Amino acid sequence: MSTVLETQPSAAEEPERKATPHTAVLDPERRKDTGLRSGLIAEKDALYMAYYEGVIFHRYPANASLRLGNEVAFYEVALHGKVYRALARPVPGQSPRTAPRDLKYGLARACSEGLQKDGWLLEPPTAIPNTPRALVRELQEVTGLAVGDIVDNAYSILNYRRHHGAQYPDTMEPKGYSFKELFLMSVDTDGTLKTFYETPSGVNPEKWTNFLRVLDRKECESLRQYAVSGMAVGEAGEAGATAIREALHLRDGRLRAVPPASYMPFMERFPLADHQKLERTVGGQRR
């Protein structure tokens, strides 16, 4: 099995286009800074306003609970008993009297043997991943593990914290946050990484973003009924209907026998709210 994902554009090439609303991003607030092909955020963009803790409510910073002290975590991944992180952290040697907005920050990688334990620093990154594929590539570089090993055994702890009031889970393998379930990720027999947060071949990107929106709301029972109905094939084609069923299987387990939905288009069954912005964000935007 291959242990190397496709290489990225070299620095000598033209500047990379930025992510679109239909690019699956881990942090939607950094979408505009994310490379479309690479899935990476440049160092200068990742460090921009790293000191900022968010709007203050009753003397408590809204975003501070997701921070690790004065550090910003870009990812936290549990893998084989260790937790790997990429961080923006104040550069050592600065005066303790320096105001937060005047602190100089740098990128760092760290590894620890527990969810809330001190660890050790690794070789710092030159960019930060903000898509599922880029995150797997990052972990390959950090750990040297094969793609399949990462997909089978990694858990996104930062996504868990986003969805649970910034609290850490009581296990390094929280249900629903494996790369397979959360990122709808698998590896083909030839070692090729596959994630259904990327638009399947032959499927309309906007329609697929809309499907992921409903999937992330955990409306799996209604989706299962739609997936086995003739309407799914009629609207998405054979390839699209198959992709819907495979994505449901990764997120919700084996597809159980369900009666097919009545003849109703997807948009009627799962309507968009008035003025709802359609963007592709991994696991939804719950915080």
Side-chain angles (χ1 to χ4, degrees):
M1 179 179 292
S2 171
T3 60
V4 180
L5 295 183
E6 62 186 71
T7 58
Q8 296 306 301
S10 68
E13 295 181 10
E14 294 183 3
E16 186 179 12
R17 290 195 299 133
K18 297 303 182 182
T20 75
H22 302 300
T23 303
V25 293
L26 305 176
D27 183 351
E29 295 180 3
R30 297 178 183 271
R31 183 186 302 275
K32 65 180 179 62
D33 299 320
T34 304
L36 180 61
R37 286 187 60 200
S38 68
L40 297 173
I41 303 169
E43 182 175 21
K44 65 178 180 60
D45 294 321
L47 295 177
Y48 179 66
M49 293 184 70
Y51 66 86
Y52 181 61
E53 294 186 346
V55 179
I56 305 297
F57 291 100
H58 303 292
R59 300 183 180 180
Y60 186 77
N63 294 342
S65 56
L66 278 174
R67 297 170 68 96
L68 303 176
N70 57 3
E71 300 177 345
V72 178
F74 297 109
Y75 65 76
E76 295 178 89
V77 174
L79 177 60
H80 290 319
K82 293 183 173 65
V83 178
Y84 297 90
R85 294 181 172 93
L87 308 159
R89 63 195 305 262
V91 175
Q94 299 178 77
S95 170
R97 295 188 295 274
T98 303
R101 66 176 301 141
D102 295 327
L103 285 172
K104 294 181 179 178
Y105 278 74
L107 294 183
R109 289 189 184 117
C111 180
S112 66
E113 294 185 338
L115 292 172
Q116 299 183 72
K117 293 184 178 180
D118 291 335
W120 56 95
L121 292 175
L122 306 173
E123 186 72 20
T126 58
I128 295 297
N130 198 33
T131 65
R133 184 175 296 273
L135 181 56
V136 171
R137 188 181 299 110
E138 163 83 358
L139 291 170
Q140 282 185 274
E141 180 178 343
V142 172
T143 67
L145 295 174
V147 176
D149 196 353
I150 294 169
V151 171
D152 286 343
N153 297 290
Y155 289 76
S156 180
I157 302 302
L158 188 58
N159 279 92
Y160 180 96
R161 294 181 64 215
R162 287 182 184 276
H163 298 167
H164 294 83
Q167 298 299 309
Y168 278 96
D170 56 8
T171 173
M172 297 179 86
E173 299 181 353
K175 180 176 174 54
Y177 291 87
S178 69
F179 278 25
K180 282 186 175 181
E181 294 170 279
L182 182 67
F183 299 151
L184 308 176
M185 193 172 277
S186 61
V187 178
D188 289 344
T189 55
D190 62 356
T192 301
L193 179 68
K194 181 178 181 180
T195 168
F196 283 110
Y197 272 101
E198 296 172 356
T199 306
S201 177
V203 177
N204 177 278
E206 185 171 278
K207 288 183 177 180
W208 193 252
T209 298
N210 199 19
F211 161 71
L212 292 170
R213 171 188 67 89
V214 177
L215 182 65
D216 287 339
R217 292 203 317 239
K218 299 190 181 299
E219 297 185 15
C220 292
E221 186 66 25
S222 296
L223 277 175
R224 278 194 295 269
Q225 294 176 0
Y226 174 83
V228 298
S229 71
M231 200 67 190
V233 176
E235 291 190 304
E238 289 287 353
T242 298
I244 287 172
R245 291 193 293 270
E246 290 181 4
L248 271 165
H249 175 81
L250 287 168
R251 176 61 55 82
D252 197 43
R254 183 176 61 85
L255 284 176
R256 301 183 295 276
V258 294
S262 59
Y263 191 81
M264 181 184 295
F266 188 92
M267 287 300 297
E268 291 185 22
R269 183 172 296 277
F270 307 105
L272 280 169
D274 290 344
H275 309 298
Q276 182 174 356
K277 192 175 183 180
L278 194 59
E279 290 187 334
R280 193 175 304 187
T281 300
V282 174
Q285 299 188 39
R286 295 162 294 169
R287 286 175 183 260

